[in-house]
């Protein structure tokens, strides 16, 4: 007897699972809707509207999917009934054919055979020979796309309670885990049905891909809302955010209009132009901290954009790194030293991911300052000791105010290159660290030019010890020029820069305390001449007349001031500050006063070298 390929048990299992998941989708939406309503209670603005749209789209998709599962169950029931009727027809037909064969064999008896053949069509008609075809099963569903951006600007704002948003995502993910389990059971039942019910005719089966897409959209919604919650948490309780900021913070991928700004190697002028077109607010808005840490890490070091933005970005990254914990001891010391160096009027304008990080802190507002000085440190400098170099920069700024009045100035404590360690490491005797650091200093100078296009302040570079080697190379890079370059305690200028004329500065100054022997502190500079004379190749002394710099004194002098004669201490150490206040940048020294004069356009007033 003919049979058909249809397992009633597999069909029953599919019907049962489809019905269960149908009910699960309908009833499971209650908690999701309640959580969405709670989230909306303190959610306002364009992003609240997008959230409402997404919630509505999810509900529509879920009920449509549930209905599709109901239709699938009904269709399988129908096909199962059709399979039953077809089996019955085939069985009846097979039985009739058996009887018919029996009648044919009885034809040997003419009378009975003839009579049987005559009455058979009336007493035992042939069952239907028309094959019952299964009704095609259509298992179809397609999830909708959900908008997740407001496409806004700093003029449009949204606000939310991040705790309520997180409560929604927790509820939604819990529901989705149940839905995902139902989807897996449904797919398994479908696979068994297709394997064991080949007689069934499946015209379409997009339901399962659609179910997967629905779950993916739900997961994307939850991730999206979590990113929005992160943004509001970073911004602080009760803080409204511009839609332009949330567009970036909440996006699954960096928006195309922002990608150019974050592209590796973007030119400072290009970065400045891109930033101007993004409408990301002002220093007063202070919203950038809402952006993801990986974005902030790039912005914090991006030459050409406003320095307030770089400070906000770097400060958030700094806090994130410290709070992360489990840090390398060197990284921990450096990050904490950087944090301790910040305060009112101080801006963290760069900080790399290195261990220890390279960093720069501006004492004064680089977006408005009319006089800017880069302070470049020398041998052994590191952000692990950022506080000391920042204090030296503060001394410069304070002295600038004393000698030139209260102009809007900024001094950058620039720990922007890997300085060589102290001997016995031989790095100070070659130029490798300087050659690596020079392009970084040049980039910082070009960055100010781009950020302040059309409003460039007076620019100065002050460098100490091996920092003079680095800075002099940086000031020969293309596209770089400053008003004043000031060298103190120079470890030597590379031979590739034979005279001060090769340095791209309107004025070049050099100061040097008297040389003294190593091991005899308190008499003069015991290290600078060693860096110059024992380097390979040897480096040039910028205080030599042949170099052509404008030299100034550092060994102590009595100078005239508006308040009368003032006795200034001499430098008696190679360092910038000492316990006895006799370093190159210690308060009350002849060196510090001359540095301040040279970096404020008053180089004609420096006290002469003796």
């Amino acid at each position: 007897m003919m049979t058909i390929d249809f397992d009633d048990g597999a069909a029953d299992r599919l019907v049962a699972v489809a019905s269960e998941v149908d009910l699960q989708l309908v009833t499971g939406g209650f908690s999701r809707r309640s959580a969405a309503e709670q989230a909306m209670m303190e959610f306002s603005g364009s992003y609240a509207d997008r959230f409402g749209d997404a919630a509505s789209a999810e509900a529509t998709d879920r009920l449509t999917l549930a209905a599709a599962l109901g239709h699938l169950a009904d269709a399988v029931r129908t096909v199962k009934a059709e399979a039953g009727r077809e089996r019955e027809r085939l069985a009846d037909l097979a039985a009739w054919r058996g009887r018919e064969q029996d009648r044919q064999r009885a034809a040997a008896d003419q009378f009975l055979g003839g009579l049987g053949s005559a009455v058979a069509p009336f007493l035992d008609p042939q069952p239907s020979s028309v094959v019952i075809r299964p009704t095609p099963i259509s298992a179809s569903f397609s999830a909708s796309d959900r908008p997740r951006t407001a496409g806004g600007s700093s003029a449009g704002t949204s606000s939310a309670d991040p705790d309520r948003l997180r409560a929604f995502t927790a509820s939604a993910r819990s529901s989705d885990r149940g839905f995902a389990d139902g989807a897996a059971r449904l797919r398994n039942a479908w696979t068994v049905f297709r394997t064991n019910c080949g007689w069934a005719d499946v015209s379409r089966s997009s339901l399962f891909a659609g179910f997967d897409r629905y779950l993916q959209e739900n997961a994307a919604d939850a991730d999206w809302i979590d990113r929005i919650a992160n943004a509001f948490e970073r911004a602080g309780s009760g803080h409204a955010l511009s839609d332009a900021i949330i567009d970036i913070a909440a996006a699954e991928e960096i928006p195309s209009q922002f990608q150019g700004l974050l592209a590796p190697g973007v030119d400072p002028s290009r970065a400045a132009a891109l930033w101007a077109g993004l409408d990301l607010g002002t220093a007063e808005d202070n919203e950038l901290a809402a952006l993801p840490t990986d974005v902030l890490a790039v912005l914090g070091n991006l030459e050409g954009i406003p320095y307030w933005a770089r400070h906000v970005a770097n400060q958030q990254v700094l806090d994130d790194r410290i709070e992360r914990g489990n840090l390398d001891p060197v990284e921990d010391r450096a990050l904490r030293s950087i944090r301790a160096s910040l305060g009112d009027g101080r801006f963290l304008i760069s900080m790399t991911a290195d261990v220890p990080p390279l960093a720069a802190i501006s004492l004064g507002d680089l977006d408005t300052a009319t006089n800017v000085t880069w302070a470049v440190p020398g041998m052994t400098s590191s952000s692990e000791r950022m506080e000391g170099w920042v204090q030296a920069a503060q001394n410069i700024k304070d002295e600038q105010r004393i000698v030139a009045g209260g102009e809007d100035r900024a001094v950058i404590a620039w720990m922007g290159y890997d300085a060589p360690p102290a001997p016995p490491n031989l790095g100070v005797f070659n130029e490798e660290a300087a050659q690596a650091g020079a392009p970084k200093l040049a980039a910082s100078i070009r960055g100010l030019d781009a950020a302040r296009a059309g409003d460039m302040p007076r620019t100065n570079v002050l460098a100490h010890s091996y920092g003079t080697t680095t800075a002099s190379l940086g000031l020969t890079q293309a596209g770089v020029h400053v008003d004043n370059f000031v060298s103190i305690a120079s470890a030597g200028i590379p031979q590739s820069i034979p005279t001060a004329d090769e340095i791209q500065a309107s004025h070049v100054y050099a100061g040097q305390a008297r040389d003294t022997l190593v091991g005899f502190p308190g008499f003069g500079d015991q290290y600078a001449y060693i860096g110059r004379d024992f380097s390979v190749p040897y480096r040039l002394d910028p205080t030599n007349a042949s170099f052509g710099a404008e030299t100034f004194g550092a060994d102590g002098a009595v100078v005239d001031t508006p308040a009368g004669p003032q006795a200034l201490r001499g430098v008696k150490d190679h360092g910038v500050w000492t316990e006895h206040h006799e370093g190159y940048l210690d308060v009350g020294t002849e060196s510090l006063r001359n540095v301040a004069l040279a970096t404020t356009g008053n180089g004609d007033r420096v006290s002469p070298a003796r």
Side-chain angles (χ1 to χ4, degrees), residues 133-392:
R133 302 295 183 185
T135 301
I137 296 174
S138 176
S140 62
F141 168 74
S142 177
S144 60
D145 293 329
R146 303 177 197 172
R148 298 188 183 95
T149 179
S153 69
S154 60
T157 62
S158 297
S159 60
D161 178 347
D163 290 337
R164 291 182 182 273
L165 297 184
R166 295 214 186 279
F168 165 77
T169 59
S171 175
R173 287 192 172 104
S174 177
S175 295
D176 287 342
R177 284 192 291 271
F179 296 160
D181 177 69
R185 290 188 294 113
L186 182 67
R187 188 180 293 278
N188 288 338
W190 176 255
T191 300
V192 172
F193 174 77
R194 292 300 305 273
T195 301
N196 295 281
C197 298
W199 182 76
D201 178 12
V202 177
S203 61
R204 286 184 293 176
S205 58
S206 63
L207 184 148
F208 303 95
F211 203 154
D212 289 344
R213 174 65 185 283
Y214 163 77
L215 292 172
Q216 291 166 4
E217 287 292 312
N218 284 1
D221 273 352
D223 291 343
W224 172 59
I225 294 301
D226 268 343
R227 290 192 293 270
I228 294 176
N230 287 340
F232 281 106
E233 284 175 348
R234 287 176 177 277
S237 178
H239 195 108
L241 292 174
S242 71
D243 291 338
I245 288 291
I246 307 178
D247 280 350
I248 300 168
E252 184 176 5
E253 296 181 355
I254 300 299
S256 58
Q257 69 271 25
F258 200 72
Q259 288 177 359
L261 192 66
L262 302 182
V266 62
D267 178 82
S269 298
R270 173 66 175 159
L274 289 171
W275 179 271
L278 287 174
D279 196 21
L280 292 181
T282 65
E284 290 72 27
D285 296 333
N286 209 17
E287 293 185 339
L288 288 182
L291 296 179
T293 300
D294 56 345
V295 172
L296 294 175
V298 177
L299 291 181
N301 298 284
L302 186 57
E303 299 293 351
I305 70 172
Y307 290 94
W308 69 261
R310 294 173 63 173
H311 169 67
V312 170
N314 284 321
Q315 192 164 48
Q316 184 63 54
V317 173
L318 173 65
D319 291 344
D320 287 349
R321 287 174 70 173
I322 291 175
E323 290 170 10
R324 187 177 65 219
N326 297 318
L327 298 172
D328 178 280
V330 171
E331 181 180 15
D332 186 65
R333 285 194 298 271
L335 295 175
R336 294 186 185 280
S337 183
I338 291 170
R339 175 185 272 179
S341 301
L342 297 172
D344 290 343
R346 294 182 176 183
F347 304 89
L348 183 56
I349 62 168
S350 70
M351 184 180 69
T352 69
D354 301 281
V355 177
L358 304 179
I361 293 176
S362 174
L363 288 68
D365 188 348
L366 289 174
D367 292 318
T368 61
T370 56
N371 190 88
V372 174
T373 302
W374 281 264
V376 183
M379 178 185 70
T380 76
S381 59
S382 164
S383 58
E384 290 182 84
R385 297 172 290 281
M386 195 75 187
E387 292 163 275
W389 191 240
V390 168
Q391 183 56 56

Side-chain angles (χ1 to χ4, degrees), residues 1-13:
M1 182 181 73
M2 291 182 59
T3 61
I4 62 171
D5 182 11
F6 193 91
D7 183 337
D8 286 358
D12 290 341
R13 176 60 181 163

Side-chain angles (χ1 to χ4, degrees), residues 500-523:
D501 290 339
E502 304 298 319
I503 295 175
Q504 292 163 175
S506 300
H507 299 276
V508 177
Y509 299 90
Q512 176 68 55
R514 67 173 59 92
D515 294 334
T516 189
L517 295 176
V518 175
F520 293 90
F523 293 95

